[in-house]
Amino acid sequence: MSDILSIGKSALSSAQVGISTTGHNIANANTPGFSRQIVSQESKQPQNFGQGFIGQGSNVTGVARVYNEMLARNVTSSQSASNRIETYKSQLSPIDNLLSDNEAGLNPAMNNFFSSVKNVNANPSDIPTRTAMLSDAQALTNRYNTMSNRLNQIQQDVNTQVEGYVTEVNGIAEQITRLNSIIQNAINVEGKQPNDLMDQRDSLVSDLSKVIKTTVTEQGTGSYNVFVGNGLPLVIGNDTFNLAATPNPTDPSRTEIGYQSRNKITILGKDSLAGGAMGGLIEFREDSLDSAQNKIGQLALVLADQFNQQHRQGFDLNGDPGADLFSIPGPATTAHRENTGTAAVGAVVADATAVTSSDYKIKYDGTNYNVTRSGDGNITSVGALPLTLDGLTISINSGAMNAGDEFVVRPTQNVAESLKLAFSDTNKLAFAGSATTGPSDNVNGLLLAKLQLDAVIQGPNDSTTKMSFTKAFATLTSEVGNKAHELNVTGAAEAQVLETATASFQSEVGVNLDEEAANLIRYQQAYQAAGKMMQMASELFNVILTLGR
């Protein structure tokens, strides 16, 4: 009787575990990151009673989660790729709209300004017409200021997002490390895998991959090693490494992503942060935002400089030589915060038509001054400063550099932000070609109007191609628009890849309620049958007791 009772008890226990596991699956059917669990059973060792081996019931050997590492890796990779593109696209959209706006864009303001120059040429001494021209000139500078301020605001928004992403990544890393420790202890002590905790950890890895490219390897102890970007260790077993939001060493207003190791922070560029929202954000800033800001500054610089130069060739209504109409800020130069020398480096624009939209890094190696152009990485080495390069004259104004000292020159980045009119007196507009000619003299005014079509904007880096203001702005607008279109196309493709990868993963590990309902009925019937078996064993035992009396 004891054998029958024991067999029934094992059957009842197995069915009970099956019901509990099925119920757990049903309860978590809509829980993000949950993997369905299945019960594994085996027969107990049979016993030989002489007439043959008779079975002794069953044992539950474990409850395992259904998980496919390869499919999970595909989802993680697709999430990183898709989020990178979506972030880049969402960040670029405001710039695309700003540049292409037919009313609020830069092109209408430039066209209005040169149209007003032509109107003055038609009646050079008319004060209302001159007043209208100064008004359009002010509107042009305002448009440059507004556009630059909007791009500066986007730069600040990027800084804020960088700080948020760094906090998020570090928080996820700490949670993964904590779960590593708990899972490792559970496996070592119990010898079984804690399925729900492992789901939580995989869910955290999935969340991490949305922010930054993530790669996972598993140790034999059950711990995860997590690497981000292009192989930077973030979690190694029970050890966590952190990212840091840190000011750029040559531009404190710019927040960079750094990797913290042994009390040292190494700044990471876009090449080290491939993938995820963080990678897309940094790629957007380095490839599109900085470029747009510098090119708009280049437009402002060259237009104002060329107009000033030509304006100085004419004479105003008072018979005086023309003065600068625009007040142009000089190139911004900043020192690396870890410089040890006493040098103060400065730069002036020698030829605005040769100035590119690149920034320049000057680094002294103890012998030579190495000037690196950011646009193409071209390096110019000289044994002494000053150096004239790409329309800039770079010099040491005072002091001296020590080996390793570094400076950055930004010729155009802040020009549009600070551009303003130098005067508001209509009499000072110098449209005449001579101080002695009559009020109808527009010789210099015609040359001012001609500037609109002159090819004076330097192309990328040291290109020999130059463009007019209209073409340069159209080229910038086209570059941003083409990039936005490219991101739309590739984003749609990546979204489809992610959808397919997610569907494949969920089809294997997700909970199917119809299947679980069928399992519930099967385990219920097994439970009822096991209960009936134990009831029968009890009744038989009672019969034996009665016979014994």
Side-chain angles (χ1 to χ4, degrees), residues 120-410:
V120 175
N121 282 330
N123 194 355
S125 62
D126 185 61
I127 298 302
T129 306
R130 285 171 167 258
T131 301
M133 180 198 155
L134 282 179
S135 177
D136 283 334
Q138 183 63 62
L140 178 60
T141 61
N142 290 344
R143 190 65 54 85
Y144 273 118
N145 298 158
T146 300
M147 188 166 287
S148 180
N149 289 336
R150 178 68 184 102
L151 295 178
N152 284 338
Q153 182 59 55
I154 294 175
Q155 288 279 12
Q156 292 303 311
D157 291 344
V158 171
N159 287 344
T160 301
Q161 291 181 71
V162 164
E163 293 173 356
Y165 285 140
V166 166
T167 299
E168 184 176 358
V169 168
N170 290 342
I172 292 175
E174 290 177 1
Q175 294 181 70
I176 292 175
T177 302
R178 180 177 58 83
L179 285 172
N180 268 350
S181 178
I182 297 173
I183 291 170
Q184 184 177 347
N185 289 338
I187 292 175
N188 290 340
V189 173
E190 303 294 337
K192 303 292 183 182
Q193 292 184 341
N195 298 319
D196 295 290
L197 292 178
M198 297 178 77
D199 279 343
Q200 289 179 32
R201 186 176 60 181
D202 286 325
S203 182
L204 288 170
V205 169
S206 178
D207 291 340
L208 184 64
S209 72
K210 296 174 185 176
V211 182
I212 189 170
K213 180 182 176 182
T214 304
T215 307
V216 175
T217 60
E218 186 172 357
Q219 296 181 350
T221 58
S223 291
Y224 273 0
N225 292 338
V226 181
F227 304 88
V228 294
N230 286 336
L232 294 169
L234 185 69
V235 175
I236 302 296
N238 296 334
D239 295 322
T240 304
F241 300 85
N242 288 326
L243 300 183
T246 183
N248 184 287
T250 58
D251 184 1
S253 68
R254 185 185 182 93
T255 303
E256 303 284 359
I257 298 169
Y259 182 74
Q260 196 163 6
S261 177
R262 296 181 180 178
N263 298 322
K264 181 182 179 182
I265 296 177
T266 303
I267 291 179
L268 307 174
K270 65 176 183 178
D271 294 335
S272 300
L273 295 168
M278 181 182 284
L281 184 68
I282 298 302
E283 188 178 355
F284 155 74
R285 180 169 69 180
E286 294 187 11
D287 288 353
S288 293
L289 179 56
D290 291 345
S291 174
Q293 203 158 24
N294 283 358
K295 287 179 179 178
I296 289 173
Q298 182 190 22
L299 275 169
L301 169 65
V302 180
L303 185 148
D305 175 84
Q306 291 297 287
F307 198 93
N308 283 350
Q309 286 197 40
Q310 187 59 55
H311 195 256
R312 290 196 295 267
Q313 304 305 310
F315 294 85
D316 62 20
L317 288 181
N318 301 321
D320 295 326
D324 287 348
L325 175 62
F326 297 100
S327 175
I328 310 170
T333 304
T334 53
H336 196 287
R337 62 172 174 243
E338 296 181 1
N339 284 359
T340 60
T342 60
V345 172
V348 295
V349 175
D351 179 6
T353 64
V355 172
T356 73
S357 58
S358 288
D359 295 335
Y360 298 82
K361 181 177 73 175
I362 303 102
K363 190 165 186 177
Y364 183 54
D365 61 12
T367 302
N368 292 319
Y369 297 89
N370 302 299
V371 182
T372 304
R373 185 168 52 208
S374 65
D376 59 358
N378 182 69
I379 299 176
T380 301
S381 295
V382 293
L385 295 178
L387 163 70
T388 298
L389 175 68
D390 295 341
L392 294 174
T393 298
I394 303 169
S395 58
I396 298 178
N397 295 337
S398 63
M401 283 195 199
N402 286 342
D405 283 0
E406 182 180 316
F407 291 81
V408 172
V409 175
R410 298 178 174 88

Side-chain angles (χ1 to χ4, degrees), residues 330-532:
T333 304
T334 53
H336 196 287
R337 62 172 174 243
E338 296 181 1
N339 284 359
T340 60
T342 60
V345 172
V348 295
V349 175
D351 179 6
T353 64
V355 172
T356 73
S357 58
S358 288
D359 295 335
Y360 298 82
K361 181 177 73 175
I362 303 102
K363 190 165 186 177
Y364 183 54
D365 61 12
T367 302
N368 292 319
Y369 297 89
N370 302 299
V371 182
T372 304
R373 185 168 52 208
S374 65
D376 59 358
N378 182 69
I379 299 176
T380 301
S381 295
V382 293
L385 295 178
L387 163 70
T388 298
L389 175 68
D390 295 341
L392 294 174
T393 298
I394 303 169
S395 58
I396 298 178
N397 295 337
S398 63
M401 283 195 199
N402 286 342
D405 283 0
E406 182 180 316
F407 291 81
V408 172
V409 175
R410 298 178 174 88
T412 66
Q413 187 181 58
N414 301 319
V415 175
E417 177 185 3
S418 303
L419 185 69
K420 59 182 64 174
L421 292 188
F423 63 81
S424 59
D425 184 353
T426 57
N427 288 334
K428 295 181 71 173
L429 289 174
F431 275 63
S434 169
T436 59
T437 54
S440 63
D441 185 354
N442 65 356
V443 171
N444 196 53
L446 293 174
L447 296 174
L448 290 172
K450 180 177 175 293
L451 291 174
Q452 184 179 15
L453 302 177
D454 285 352
V456 290
I457 302 288
Q458 176 66 52
N461 306 319
D462 60 351
S463 170
T464 57
T465 303
K466 291 190 177 182
M467 299 173 283
S468 67
F469 299 113
T470 301
K471 184 176 180 181
F473 183 73
T475 299
L476 171 59
T477 304
S478 177
E479 287 174 358
V480 173
N482 289 341
K483 186 63 179 181
H485 176 70
E486 173 196 328
L487 292 171
N488 282 330
V489 173
T490 55
E494 286 294 346
Q496 183 60 51
V497 171
L498 175 58
E499 182 179 348
T500 301
T502 302
S504 298
F505 180 68
Q506 286 299 319
S507 68
E508 184 160 340
V509 308
V511 175
N512 185 312
L513 290 176
D514 292 336
E515 182 180 338
E516 298 302 328
N519 287 339
L520 195 60
I521 294 173
R522 179 164 60 88
Y523 286 123
Q524 180 189 20
Q525 291 174 340
Y527 191 89
Q528 291 172 339
K532 188 68 175 176

